Amino acid sequence: MSQQHAFQAEVAQLLHLVTHSLYSNKDIFLRELISNASDACDKLRFEALNDPSLYEDAPNLEVRVQFDKDAKTLTITDNGIGMSEAEAIEHLGTIAKSGTRDFMSRLSGDQKKDAQLIGQFGVGFYSGFIVADRITVESRRAGLKPEQGVRWTSSGSGAFETEAITRAERGTSVILHLRDDASEYLNRWKLKQIIGKYSDHISLPILMQKEEWDKDKGEYVLLADWEVVNSASALWTRPKKDISDEQYIDFYKNISYDQEAPLTWSHNRVEGSIEYTQLLYIPAKAPHDLWNRDKKAGVKLYVKRVFIMDDAEALMPTYLRWVKGVIDSADLPLNVSRELLQESRDVKAIREGNTRRVLSMLEDLASKDRLPTGEDWERLSDEEKKQAEADAGKYARFYAEFGVVLKEGLGEDFGNRERIAKLLRFASTQSDTVSVSLADYKARMKEGQEAIYYITADTLAAAKNSPQLEVFRKKGIEVLLMTDRVDEWALSFLHEFDGIPLQSVAKGAVDLGKLQDEAEKKAAEQAAEAFKPVLERLKTSLKDKAKDVRVTSRLVDSPACLVVEDGDYSMQLARLLKQAGQKAPEVKPILEVNAEHALVRKLDGHPHFDDLAHILFDQALLAEGGLPEDPAAYVKRVNALLA
Ligand code: ADP
Ligand code: MG
């Protein structure tokens, strides 16, 4: 008795999309189905940890790929966990993961890219319909009786059927009834080639029947013996010297769903209090959800080659959540849970080892980012020059994608703060590109300069044109320009670099220390003294807006600017928090005026003193990216003066 079921609406829609948008990348269906077979075997191995009887009498897990030219079918069989009828209905008829809509909205029309997406969103099974006009799945769940098997059939339009069958072997067969234009898959060579390309990293044996040339028939015929057509060993367990770059890259693409090659990778056996194998990759491109701090880490955990879990967040700190790879340890218990992972001392040691490894991979990339020059370049052999050229610019690429997240590490990983600080790059008043390291800055510091100066702003243009920079520009002192939202937060954890304090130019009184000569200091003091009565009046006029008003030497061309006290939130951060709907403490800025400026000089005895005072304040606010509290009043005041 077969039963009719309708696909969940989303599935129907998806099926249509998949078959119409991926036909030029047909081959990927095999990767997806083999990946499901391999997942099913992983699941069996995992469940069998607690119940070895699930292996029944077939403990060797494997995948078989078989075709039948006459019936025009291609069958992928595994002896993994299998499905009960209820599971088949659920797993092959609905899409549980909310990612589907996301997947569909991200289809770009570029079939190559879209093909990469499909496995990422838990919809791989349906790719079978790219090449098949009907799919039959026969399955029996491990542990159930032979009569409790299921047959699932669908032609990939709105509905599917299921019925109970008897199936002696545990596991699943996916039988593809190939479309007329997909007969190329009835060919051993073709299938083997696809398996080699996409599925070589699968640690299970993938078997195909051998073939022999039949002289009489004038064609190849299949034999009864099977042979393994993949490497069938987990890549990370093989010695480094036996693995080609291409294999490393293919493995990365398979575990990351990234179609671009990684920037670099590192493969090690780590020995110490706990032993493990570590294979870590630095991607070239950030994933679309990099921003999500809840996003799970990209590292898979294996214990004695048994797959335990994806996204093992305990193995990587949050700021390195974009690293992809595999950790395999023989020293962890097989039944390790997420909770246990969080608490285990061994896991902590692995996480620390991983962190150090990633930081040193980054340091290595950073050290090769610029091509050697002069003698250093001449010394290199042709081979080394080629390598240097290939490595140059990689760190800049990395930083453009992941630099912002790396900064989170300043607040998260105190033990490695210094190493992280060295890896940071910034734009500055001497460089529009984000390429200045703190070490570069330090090396360029002026004689007598006692701090590393920086400014935070919403945009590079706002940072560059900020009045607070005027005196620094005049004296030729470099200022780092920071425009990432996390900068201020992150920098609050970094008080100094290599013994030099970091100082925001928009906070506290400007103290150029030895950079200001005695005459300048004297002149500033005298100006302040002479200006005192005006200052007092300004304070009274602006008492609701400004915490204080004082004379400054940081301005050259602008009449006034706003600063906050050391330790206060900057105006910019307060604005950001407000925009994000978060409660920010009310920051009352300090108005600093340039006593030499023509406009400021006019204040003394001006008939519209009060208007001018407010205009000065509001303009200073505008100049640093804020808005006057009462824009209409501001306009009125300006107009009164203009008239
Ligand atoms: P995903 O593999 O990302 O979950 P798929 O569309 O590839 O998404 O597969 C959907 C689900 O169907 C799987 O999660 C699994 O529960 C079930 N499934 C598919 N193939 C098999 C198989 N060979 N053995 C057991 N279950 C399978
Ligand atoms: Mg899948």
Side-chain angles (χ1 to χ4, degrees):
M1 253 300 282
S2 71
Q3 253 185 315
Q4 286 276 345
H5 308 267
F7 278 119
Q8 182 192 24
E10 246 178 55
V11 177
Q13 206 182 346
L14 182 89
L15 276 168
H16 182 83
L17 253 163
V18 163
T19 47
H20 286 81
S21 67
L22 297 179
Y23 56 86
S24 71
N25 241 289
K26 288 187 197 141
D27 292 357
I28 57 125
F29 81 90
L30 192 57
R31 172 190 74 192
E32 293 303 326
L33 297 179
I34 290 179
S35 142
N36 284 351
S38 161
D39 289 350
C41 292
D42 281 341
K43 282 182 203 157
L44 176 72
R45 223 177 312 188
F46 191 71
E47 285 193 22
L49 291 173
N50 291 321
D51 182 3
S53 73
L54 290 179
Y55 279 121
E56 301 174 10
D57 53 3
N60 295 326
L61 301 177
E62 60 186 32
V63 181
R64 288 172 190 261
V65 176
Q66 185 174 22
F67 62 90
D68 180 334
K69 273 192 193 150
D70 300 329
K72 294 193 181 141
T73 57
L74 174 64
T75 303
I76 294 100
T77 301
D78 66 72
N79 57 357
I81 193 74
M83 284 176 276
S84 66
E85 183 161 358
E87 283 171 330
I89 293 169
E90 160 143 20
H91 297 321
L92 306 181
T94 60
I95 304 176
K97 292 174 197 139
S98 60
T100 319
R101 199 158 301 143
D102 197 14
F103 165 70
M104 294 200 271
S105 71
R106 288 186 58 225
L107 285 174
S108 61
D110 176 342
Q111 301 212 357
K112 217 168 157 188
K113 285 191 187 146
D114 293 345
Q116 206 57 41
L117 283 174
I118 188 159
Q120 198 175 348
F121 286 91
V123 293
F125 172 78
Y126 302 102
S127 65
F129 286 108
I130 305 173
V131 295
D133 47 24
R134 192 154 53 87
I135 299 182
T136 306
V137 178
E138 295 182 353
S139 190
R140 196 230 334 140
R141 200 182 200 290
L144 294 183
K145 297 197 198 83
E147 310 84 79
Q148 290 175 297
V150 57
R151 179 180 292 126
W152 177 104
T153 320
S154 174
S155 59
S157 37
F160 63 94
E161 279 172 30
T162 57
E163 66 182 311
I165 57 165
T166 298
R167 180 178 162 97
E169 325 77 55
R170 142 201 104 221
T172 305
S173 295
V174 176
I175 304 151
L176 304 170
H177 304 269
L178 295 176
R179 295 175 192 276
D180 288 339
D181 62 1
S183 49
E184 65 203 271
Y185 298 104
L186 299 170
N187 176 312
R188 188 174 193 275
W189 181 84
K190 168 87 180 172
L191 295 169
K192 217 181 134 176
Q193 182 221 351
I194 304 174
I195 292 169
K197 180 164 173 212
Y198 289 119
S199 307
D200 195 52
H201 71 285
I202 297 278
S203 54
L204 298 165
I206 300 172
L207 298 151
M208 289 187 72
Q209 273 169 284
K210 285 190 184 162
E211 218 176 36
E212 193 182 60
W213 181 253
D214 186 319
K215 266 204 292 226
D216 300 337
K217 286 194 179 161
E219 60 177 19
Y220 281 101
V221 292
L222 292 168
L223 302 176
D225 0 332
W226 294 76
E227 70 174 343
V228 177
V229 296
N230 66 335
S231 311
S233 72
L235 178 104
W236 63 90
T237 61
R238 289 187 235 157
K240 265 192 207 180
K241 63 173 177 32
D242 297 347
I243 310 175
S244 67
D245 283 0
E246 208 184 344
Q247 285 172 321
Y248 274 121
I249 293 171
D250 283 345
F251 181 71
Y252 166 79
K253 290 182 177 174
N254 274 299
I255 59 167
S256 67
Y257 298 112
D258 186 354
Q259 65 239 1
E260 234 175 284
L263 288 179
T264 185
W265 60 86
S266 180
H267 183 191
N268 313 281
R269 262 209 71 71
V270 184
E271 294 176 7
S273 61
I274 174 164
E275 292 189 5
Y276 58 98
T277 299
Q278 173 192 61
L279 173 55
L280 300 175
Y281 290 91
I282 297 192
K285 267 237 148 348
H288 63 108
D289 55 353
L290 178 68
W291 286 106
N292 184 355
R293 276 183 59 86
D294 298 330
K295 180 183 146 54
K296 306 275 171 52
V299 177
K300 294 175 192 288
L301 176 64
Y302 286 75
V303 174
K304 300 190 185 80
R305 297 184 206 177
V306 178
F307 172 75
I308 304 294
M309 69 180 81
D310 263 327
D311 318 326
E313 63 261 53
L315 298 178
M316 255 324 154
T318 311
Y319 72 102
L320 301 180
R321 58 188 177 271
W322 40 271
V323 175
K324 301 272 191 257
V326 168
I327 298 298
D328 190 346
S329 173
D331 293 349
L332 291 174
L334 272 163
N335 57 357
V336 65
S337 65
R338 280 187 197 272
E339 292 67 36
L340 218 98
L341 277 182
Q342 299 292 354
E343 287 157 18
S344 152
R345 271 186 39 217
D346 287 337
V347 171
K348 206 164 157 242
I350 296 179
R351 180 175 54 225
E352 281 165 8
N354 286 346
T355 306
R356 282 195 299 273
R357 177 69 58 191
V358 174
L359 292 178
S360 59
M361 287 160 84
L362 293 178
E363 284 158 2
D364 184 54
L365 282 183
S367 72
K368 297 172 179 162
D369 201 38
R370 293 174 203 166
L371 277 181
T373 50
E375 259 182 49
D376 290 336
W377 176 252
E378 293 313 326
R379 235 195 326 254
L380 300 181
S381 68
D382 284 351
E383 184 92 342
E384 288 167 330
K385 282 181 182 163
K386 235 168 134 186
Q387 188 59 48
E389 273 166 348
D391 290 335
K394 276 189 181 172
Y395 190 71
R397 279 176 69 197
F398 158 78
Y399 201 82
E401 294 288 320
F402 299 103
V404 186
V405 183
L406 186 66
K407 282 180 199 162
E408 294 174 9
L410 291 178
E412 191 185 333
D413 186 356
F414 298 158
N416 287 305
R417 197 180 286 161
E418 224 155 284
R419 289 181 78 177
I420 298 167
K422 284 192 186 140
L423 289 167
L424 301 184
R425 299 291 181 268
F426 303 98
S428 86
T429 45
Q430 296 185 16
S431 161
D432 273 349
T433 58
V434 180
S435 60
V436 182
S437 70
L438 292 170
D440 294 338
Y441 183 103
K442 191 182 168 198
R444 291 202 285 254
M445 274 171 51
K446 286 263 186 271
E447 180 86 21
Q449 186 178 343
E450 286 166 346
I452 295 173
Y453 294 104
Y454 69 91
I455 186 165
T456 56
D458 293 336
T459 62
L460 194 60
K464 259 164 70 177
N465 297 322
S466 159
Q468 276 100 340
L469 294 187
E470 288 171 2
V471 70
F472 293 90
R473 196 161 275 138
K474 185 174 152 201
K475 294 197 172 283
I477 300 170
E478 184 169 18
V479 177
L480 300 175
L481 309 174
M482 308 199 178
T483 52
D484 283 332
R485 279 166 176 238
V486 298
D487 282 330
E488 182 151 352
W489 173 84
L491 266 283
S492 69
F493 294 98
L494 190 71
H495 302 295
E496 55 159 61
F497 174 78
D498 213 359
I500 317 271
L502 271 81
Q503 170 70 47
S504 162
V505 302
K507 281 188 180 180
V510 54
D511 177 10
L512 295 178
K514 300 192 184 111
L515 291 165
Q516 219 171 11
D517 59 41
E518 283 309 312
E520 280 176 320
K521 275 187 195 156
K522 255 282 170 39
E525 273 164 34
Q526 278 170 358
E529 194 55 35
F531 203 66
K532 238 183 178 161
V534 182
L535 273 188
E536 290 309 318
R537 278 192 72 188
L538 278 174
K539 282 184 205 173
T540 319
S541 291
L542 297 172
K543 64 177 183 309
D544 294 336
K545 289 180 170 170
K547 202 171 190 172
D548 193 11
V549 183
R550 63 193 181 205
V551 175
T552 185
S553 55
R554 76 173 97 217
L555 298 174
V556 179
D557 303 317
S558 302
C561 69
L562 298 176
V563 297
V564 297
E565 253 172 326
D566 258 332
D568 270 0
Y569 279 19
S570 74
M571 304 279 287
Q572 188 226 356
L573 183 59
R575 268 200 303 278
L576 280 177
L577 288 172
K578 223 173 184 173
Q579 280 164 15
Q582 292 189 29
K583 253 182 92 153
E586 206 50 54
V587 186
K588 238 185 184 184
I590 296 161
L591 181 71
E592 290 195 343
V593 294
N594 174 2
E596 322 254 291
H597 196 277
L599 198 62
V600 177
R601 286 207 195 148
K602 273 193 183 162
L603 276 166
D604 199 4
H606 198 282
H608 292 284
F609 184 94
D610 205 51
D611 285 339
L612 208 49
H614 282 277
I615 289 171
L616 273 183
F617 183 95
D618 285 346
Q619 286 190 342
L621 191 58
L622 282 167
E624 66 123 68
L627 272 183
E629 212 165 85
D630 184 350
Y634 168 76
V635 172
K636 227 166 161 180
R637 286 198 173 105
V638 172
N639 287 347
L641 281 183
L642 288 176

